[in-house]
Amino acid sequence: MENIYLTIVLAPLAGALIAGLFGRHIGRAGAHGVTILGVAVSTALSFLVFKRIVIDGAAVENLSVYTWAVSDGVRFEVGFLVDSLTAVMISVVTFVSLMVHIYTIGYMADDEHNWKDGSLSGNNSYQRFFSYISLFTFSMLMLVMSNNFLQLFFGWEAVGLVSYLLIGFWFQRDTAIYANLKAFLVNRVGDFGFLLGIAAVLMYFNSLDYADVFAAAPLLKDMTIQILPGSDWSLLSVIGILLFIGAMGKSAQVPLHVWLPDSMEGPTPISALIHAATMVTAGVFMVARMSPLYELSETALGFILVIGATTALFMGLVGLVQNDIKRVVAYSTLSQLGYMMVGLGASAYAAGIFHLATHAFFKALLFLAAGSVIIAMHHEQDIRKMGGLKKYMPITYWTSLVGSLALIGFPGFAGFYSKDAVI
């Protein structure tokens, strides 16, 4: 099985490297061919793992693949923890990524007009784009399959870096540069809290391995530390809240949500991949993965619940008054991420992850449908200038309708069951 797990992670990386380094030589067909093949292999193997772990009920696997360093008794290693949570996440990430890769062939086919005449940047932009999205898939898989905090942090930072490259993909536009800097800086704020949380785990548990930390956590349940002289803080509450600050940045929770609507400057396939299905759900995944720690701290759970509920309500309200077709969908995503956090804060981890999975599919569908409309309208994104497109775009109409019904929780659609479970 170890070879299968390694292939799931490394196939998209291989595609990204080939498309990125040799894109000029293999051309457009070669670039999209090799990246789609890599992600397709990952998807097939992910479904195999899902069947084995979730449906057939195989045992949880915790493997150490490579030890990078041992310092003062602490092991820094690359490893995989494969349980039902991992199986669900890798299936969602690889499948949505595969669909986005295929969609991108059409979306980016006419990318030259987005670059200034005579600009060398636009020469191999198609190949570069495929390299980036495949690299993003690799980073996300490293994050969700990790069995230790070091690898989690590597994946966490890698998806942040690739999202920066993708949001600012059309870097000749000032708005794109502004948006990707904003995303990068806001994420740094969250990541500072995340890093402090990991440092606290290392300091008090003397290990970065999930299994060791989760096993030792109940023993430190009543331990207090003094951050400010004279006031005692529960250790696990501090760790839980610091880790959640990282999730607030990645999963765009109030007040670190400001980067997500601006990130719509990137090409639409990116909005579908990063801002609907994968990167923004990394924070939700992380909180679910850390549930053995959060269950020992009511304070941290209460904090998550309040932040999630605030985000769900206010971002939904802000979405009502937007005019840009992608921003409407982006604010809806923020609201749904709030829903997921509410589920986790109420200790309903299964419901939160169920909503994460259903939301990934219907929200990616809505973003891709929005991209279809934008291309058909010659890059017009103002919804006030749209309407009556059904007769011209029947397929996009029906797919959007299905996605919207799932999003509002219409009975019989996926969103109905997952939202109902959270509520």
Side-chain angles (χ1 to χ4, degrees), residues 24 28 64 82 92 105 170 178 181 200 247 254 313 345 394 412 415:
R24 199 174 52 186
R28 287 187 162 201
S64 173
V82 184
V92 169
I105 296 174
W170 290 321
Y178 172 76
L181 273 174
V254 172
L313 174 67

Side-chain angles (χ1 to χ4, degrees), residues 1-286:
M1 284 310 287
E2 187 175 319
N3 290 338
I4 288 181
Y5 302 144
L6 277 171
T7 309
I8 289 174
V9 171
L10 295 178
L13 177 64
L17 291 173
I18 294 169
L21 298 175
F22 307 107
R24 199 174 52 186
H25 307 292
I26 60 178
R28 287 187 162 201
H32 69 230
V34 71
T35 51
I36 288 173
L37 177 67
V39 177
V41 167
S42 278
T43 308
L45 293 176
S46 297
F47 287 158
L48 182 72
V49 171
F50 182 84
K51 178 187 176 296
R52 215 175 139 266
I53 301 278
V54 178
I55 298 171
D56 299 344
V60 172
E61 294 194 52
N62 190 355
L63 310 167
S64 173
V65 178
Y66 167 71
T67 300
W68 180 46
V70 179
S71 172
D72 206 14
V74 178
R75 299 176 70 85
F76 298 95
E77 58 188 19
V78 175
F80 299 136
L81 171 60
V82 184
D83 57 6
S84 48
L85 175 61
T86 309
V88 168
M89 287 299 293
I90 58 174
S91 302
V92 169
V93 169
T94 53
F95 182 75
V96 173
S97 178
L98 179 62
M99 295 300 115
V100 169
H101 274 72
I102 294 168
Y103 174 92
T104 304
I105 296 174
Y107 191 89
M108 299 298 280
D110 185 29
D111 189 46
E112 283 84 3
H113 75 275
N114 289 309
W115 303 90
K116 289 174 182 154
D117 292 339
S119 160
L120 292 175
S121 311
N123 280 0
N124 298 313
S125 63
Y126 183 89
Q127 292 93 313
R128 190 167 72 242
F129 190 81
F130 271 96
S131 173
Y132 286 170
I133 53 176
S134 204
L135 185 62
F136 176 82
T137 309
F138 158 74
S139 308
M140 195 66 202
L141 289 168
M142 283 292 277
L143 190 158
V144 297
M145 292 177 75
S146 63
N147 72 346
N148 61 79
F149 285 93
L150 175 78
Q151 189 177 330
L152 175 75
F153 190 70
F154 165 78
W156 196 265
E157 292 303 310
V159 291
L161 170 70
V162 182
S163 77
Y164 165 82
L165 293 172
L166 285 166
I167 293 166
F169 184 73
W170 290 321
F171 52 76
Q172 292 179 336
R173 303 179 183 177
D174 292 342
T175 48
I177 293 294
Y178 172 76
N180 75 349
L181 273 174
K182 186 169 178 180
F184 201 69
L185 292 171
V186 173
N187 268 292
R188 292 289 71 69
V189 176
D191 293 350
F192 184 61
F194 192 60
L195 198 53
L196 288 175
I198 294 176
V201 167
L202 181 59
M203 183 172 167
Y204 288 96
F205 291 88
N206 204 36
S207 172
L208 287 173
D209 194 87
Y210 293 162
D212 298 344
V213 173
F214 296 161
L219 306 176
L220 298 179
K221 184 181 174 201
D222 300 321
M223 183 171 182
T224 57
I225 56 174
Q226 289 197 352
I227 298 175
L228 300 170
S231 62
D232 288 337
W233 296 58
S234 158
L235 171 67
L236 291 178
S237 293
V238 170
I239 289 175
I241 289 172
L242 285 172
L243 290 174
F244 181 67
I245 289 172
M248 283 164 66
K250 274 283 176 292
S251 291
Q253 300 293 296
V254 172
L256 299 181
H257 66 285
V258 291
W259 65 271
L260 193 107
D262 285 359
S263 68
M264 296 299 121
E265 285 299 324
T268 303
I270 293 319
S271 307
L273 183 61
I274 294 187
H275 309 123
T278 48
M279 178 175 135
V280 290
T281 56
V284 180
F285 161 79
M286 189 275 298

Side-chain angles (χ1 to χ4, degrees), residues 389-418:
L389 295 175
K390 180 186 172 186
K391 60 177 180 281
Y392 304 109
M393 309 177 70
I395 296 173
T396 303
Y397 169 79
W398 287 109
T399 51
S400 299
L401 182 64
V402 169
S404 303
L405 288 172
L407 173 63
I408 63 171
F410 191 81
F413 287 81
F416 169 72
Y417 298 102
S418 59

